[in-house]
Amino acid sequence: MADVPTTEFDMFATSDPRTRYEQYRALRELGAVVRLREPDAYVVTRYAEVKAALADHDSFISGEGVGFNPMVNEFSRGGTLTSDPPEHDVLRSVVATGLQPRAMRLRSEEIAQKARELVAEVVAKGEIDGTAELAQAMPMSFLPDFLGLPEHDRERLYEWSSTGTDTFGPVTERTPHNLEIGAHFVQYLTDLVANRDIPPGTLASAVFEAADEGVIPTEKCPLLLGDYIGPSMETTASAIGHLLVIFAERPDQWTALRAEPGLVASTINELVRFESPFRGFTRLAARDAELGGVTIPQGARVWPLVVSANRDERKWERADEFDFRRNPLDHLGFGHGVHGCAGQGVARIELHALIHALLDSVERIELTGDPVIAENSWFNTYDRIPIRLVATKAA
């Protein structure tokens, strides 16, 4: 076995994408597995090894938490993200009930209509904030109703989601505020369960049905409802935000895609490969395990860096270039293995609907200012995107 290379990189010093991607490239050059000094963790950097780590849920477990904040790891245990088989399989079966491809296809026209209405609205406005008025507005246009969430507090869903993901990183100056916001979200979820404030026949009502049938204990309901709300909002919004910036910066590719709309599915895969919404959740080594020629000791924190794997030059030619024709079907942007994103079908349908609506109505996407990246330890997302959507002459 080779000695594990070590690094003093501060992986949480900045959210600037350029700095982060430079770090990922340097880490891949150091080795497939690199040990961070602070926080102490074994970072998995290259595609083959990241995929292997995600697939090996026996050696690398999620039930001891998936972040770097011990308090958050303890508090979040027992959800679909932070459990292991066989418990995880039961929880996932509950959450995924309404997310099966057939069920989602039945709603695809509804989602497409929401996308057309939203695009028409923002095109008419001229200059917009692409984050709030398009990236976040798209999932908000149907997901709360789809999930069965009450009308009150919907305007807070994104704040709860983004601050929640940020707490998985090490403690920062943002942590006290994030934990305070998180307490409000916990109370919201607790109240939903106590009041049964979700109508039957909606997606999230499956959680209550599972509890009533004894499939899961009632105390799991708030965690599972949170599993629906956070990922379904922030992940899709992140992808849409990057879509806008990517094509604003590459108008030739937007023009080419408008001529080849049959490549929208390929575009979505390349989008999620090129700008993966999340960096990758950690695991704990349940036993001594070999990975990338390195022995990772039992009890070590392991960080499969999905966002680095998706830019690995060993896997992808021109890995740092965006090419909507590439169609990287085996990207890891939606995870892999038992913790692969259960809601990726919903995200794909949303993205498919929105891109087609934009292709039909928008000749060019123009930045009217510098996009502002969100300060977030875990997610790769924009806080603000000043853009103009230039309508097609026929629109």
Side-chain angles (χ1 to χ4, degrees):
M1 288 293 149
D3 291 335
V4 60
T6 60
T7 181
E8 303 287 343
F9 283 167
D10 184 348
M11 302 291 288
F12 299 95
T14 178
S15 296
D16 176 64
R18 289 167 298 184
T19 301
R20 285 184 171 181
Y21 281 120
E22 288 170 2
Q23 287 183 330
Y24 304 151
R25 187 182 302 109
L27 287 171
R28 291 193 299 272
E29 290 305 309
L30 281 173
V33 178
V34 178
R35 189 170 184 178
L36 283 185
R37 295 285 193 190
E38 182 62 36
D40 186 11
Y42 289 76
V43 182
V44 191
T45 69
R46 298 174 186 169
Y47 178 90
E49 287 76 15
V50 169
K51 188 173 184 179
L54 296 178
D56 188 357
H57 60 264
D58 292 323
S59 298
F60 306 111
I61 61 174
S62 301
E64 296 295 326
V66 296
F68 285 113
N69 186 321
M71 182 177 67
V72 174
N73 280 345
E74 180 62 28
F75 179 78
S76 62
R77 288 174 64 177
T80 53
L81 182 64
T82 51
S83 60
D84 300 297
E87 179 188 29
H88 171 268
D89 299 338
V90 175
L91 299 177
R92 187 180 174 100
S93 70
V94 173
V95 173
T97 297
L99 299 175
Q100 301 303 321
R102 182 177 181 277
M104 291 311 308
R105 282 195 295 269
L106 295 175
R107 305 194 70 116
S108 59
E109 180 49 42
E110 172 193 349
I111 296 171
Q113 181 60 32
K114 295 287 188 183
R116 290 190 290 267
E117 292 171 358
L118 178 60
V119 168
E121 178 183 329
V122 295
V123 168
K125 286 183 178 180
E127 293 188 20
I128 64 166
D129 174 6
T131 297
E133 297 178 76
L134 195 52
Q136 295 178 358
M138 180 62 206
M140 276 296 292
S141 70
F142 84 97
L143 269 171
D145 290 331
F146 183 38
L147 293 172
L149 301 180
E151 291 290 337
H152 67 81
D153 289 320
R154 287 187 177 187
E155 73 281 358
R156 304 196 67 185
L157 293 175
Y158 274 105
E159 180 185 27
W160 285 335
S161 176
S162 61
T163 55
T165 57
D166 195 23
T167 62
F168 284 104
V171 173
T172 70
E173 70 281 357
R174 300 186 301 274
T175 301
H177 170 75
N178 290 344
L179 292 177
E180 180 181 350
I181 298 300
H184 291 295
F185 186 38
V186 170
Q187 188 61 55
Y188 170 82
L189 296 172
T190 302
D191 290 345
L192 285 184
V193 175
N195 301 326
R196 290 294 180 113
D197 207 4
I198 291 176
T202 55
L203 185 61
S205 66
V207 173
F208 293 144
E209 292 166 10
D212 291 341
E213 294 167 4
V215 177
I216 60 170
T218 301
E219 56 265 27
K220 290 283 189 184
C221 289
L223 275 171
L224 296 191
L225 291 174
D227 286 348
Y228 272 132
I229 295 169
S232 65
M233 297 289 178
E234 185 66 16
T235 303
T236 305
S238 172
I240 294 171
H242 284 291
L243 170 84
L244 297 173
V245 173
I246 284 168
F247 281 111
E249 294 176 341
R250 298 164 179 80
D252 56 327
Q253 291 213 36
W254 182 249
T255 300
L257 180 58
R258 292 185 66 219
E260 301 180 76
L263 293 179
V264 166
S266 170
T267 300
I268 293 169
N269 284 324
E270 177 69 346
L271 168 67
V272 179
R273 178 201 73 84
F274 185 71
E275 290 287 5
S276 304
F278 72 103
R279 302 175 84 179
F281 292 106
T282 74
R283 307 286 193 270
L284 198 74
R287 57 197 179 201
D288 290 355
E290 188 275 328
L291 192 65
V294 168
T295 297
I296 299 175
Q298 180 180 359
R301 183 62 57 178
V302 181
W303 191 11
L305 205 55
V306 165
V307 69
S308 175
N310 279 340
R311 292 285 191 104
D312 186 1
E313 304 85 350
R314 295 154 192 81
K315 171 65 178 176
W316 318 104
E317 293 184 8
R318 302 173 291 108
D320 285 330
E321 294 180 25
F322 177 85
D323 180 359
F324 74 90
R325 297 184 176 88
R326 188 192 302 266
N327 199 21
L329 293 169
D330 49 354
H331 70 79
L332 302 176
F334 288 123
H336 180 69
V338 298
H339 287 285
C341 178
Q344 65 175 283
V346 184
R348 288 181 184 278
I349 289 174
E350 285 184 76
L351 289 165
H352 192 275
L354 184 65
I355 294 172
H356 273 290
L358 289 167
L359 291 172
D360 289 343
S361 301
V362 175
E363 183 175 339
R364 294 189 312 280
I365 303 170
E366 297 178 345
L367 291 173
T368 57
D370 293 331
V372 178
I373 203 73
E375 291 296 327
N376 192 295
S377 297
W378 227 250
F379 260 73
N380 172 28
T381 191
Y382 283 104
D383 185 61
R384 189 168 66 255
I385 306 170
I387 58 167
R388 178 187 300 111
L389 302 178
V390 179
T392 59
K393 294 181 174 63

